[in-house]
């Protein structure tokens, strides 16, 4: 996909990854966790993301930032942080497209390991929404939008339909 579609993968180290002791790699070589500053790594990701946006590209953001047994509200304001970083770089015309991905048969995503490149997915397309059409907290909006797209088994019980 990366070679054929001009896709650049940028790794973001999440707390889940650190707690699981997974090995982060760059150019095929392991990066030691010791001394790696998560904030600096996130800033590098945000710099790459805003450069992509400036060039007219699309940035994929997984606001859940980890594998959970159920969809939960996003911690740390990931969508807000991307938006603020983009504004600091002079990007003010943002739009968001929500996409739901489901691995058939999966009921607890906290038990799914790896990148699952060879897995088959059920894709639920959301809608494109301009930032100016979103009222209030953008992360709360994003969570509600993802609830509509999430597989029923991944939604908290009170939102299942």
């Amino acid at each position: 996909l990366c070679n054929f579609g001009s896709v650049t993968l940028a790794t973001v180290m999440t707390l889940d990854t650190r707690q699981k002791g997974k090995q982060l790699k760059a150019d095929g070589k392991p990066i030691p966790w010791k001394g790696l500053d998560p904030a600096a790594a996130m800033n590098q990701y945000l710099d790459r993301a805003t450069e992509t946006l400036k060039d007219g590209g699309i940035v994929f953001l997984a606001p859940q930032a980890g594998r959970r047994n159920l969809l939960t509200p996003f911690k740390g304001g990931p969508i807000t942080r991307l938006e603020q970083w983009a504004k600091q770089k002079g990007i003010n015309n943002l739009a968001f497209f929500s996409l739901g991905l489901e691995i058939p048969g999966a009921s607890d995503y906290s038990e799914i390991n790896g990148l699952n490149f060879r897995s088959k997915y059920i894709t639920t397309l959301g809608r494109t929404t301009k930032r100016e059409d979103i009222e209030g907290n953008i992360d709360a909006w994003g969570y509600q939008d993802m609830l509509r797209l999430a597989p029923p088994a991944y939604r908290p019980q009170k939102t299942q339909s």
Side-chain angles (χ1 to χ4, degrees):
L1 177 65
C2 295
N3 293 331
F4 299 111
S6 297
V7 175
T8 301
L9 291 178
T11 304
V12 176
M13 177 181 53
T14 67
L15 183 58
D16 288 0
T17 305
R18 289 185 80 161
Q19 287 174 341
K20 289 180 180 179
K22 293 203 172 177
Q23 193 66 273
L24 185 65
K25 294 185 178 184
D27 299 323
K29 298 176 185 171
I31 300 172
W33 292 123
K34 189 175 181 181
L36 187 59
D37 179 7
M42 178 57 76
N43 290 348
Q44 288 175 353
Y45 168 79
L46 291 169
D47 280 340
R48 289 178 83 176
T50 52
E51 286 302 314
T52 298
L53 292 171
K54 276 184 182 178
D55 291 340
I58 298 170
V59 173
F60 290 93
L61 175 69
Q64 183 82 5
R67 307 250 170 102
R68 307 280 181 273
N69 62 334
L70 295 172
L71 183 65
T72 58
F74 313 139
K75 294 181 181 178
I79 306 172
T80 299
R81 187 152 182 214
L82 176 61
E83 177 186 34
Q84 290 171 344
W85 200 272
K87 283 183 178 180
Q88 289 173 357
K89 303 289 183 177
I91 302 167
N92 295 305
N93 59 340
L94 294 175
F96 300 90
F97 177 76
S98 300
L99 176 71
L101 295 174
E102 175 183 358
I103 297 175
S107 60
D108 183 347
Y109 284 82
S110 65
E111 296 176 358
I112 304 287
N113 292 311
L115 296 175
N116 300 293
F117 285 128
R118 290 188 170 91
S119 295
K120 291 184 179 182
Y121 289 87
I122 297 172
T123 306
T124 306
L125 303 179
R127 58 182 178 237
T128 302
T129 307
K130 293 180 184 177
R131 175 56 178 116
E132 64 251 26
D133 295 335
I134 300 170
E135 295 181 15
N137 181 295
I138 194 166
D139 289 288
W141 169 86
Y143 174 68
Q144 291 301 316
D145 206 40
M146 291 305 298
L147 279 174
R148 291 182 321 100
L149 303 173
Y154 193 51
R155 297 178 198 152
Q157 290 294 35
K158 64 183 177 183
T159 63
Q160 285 189 358
S161 49

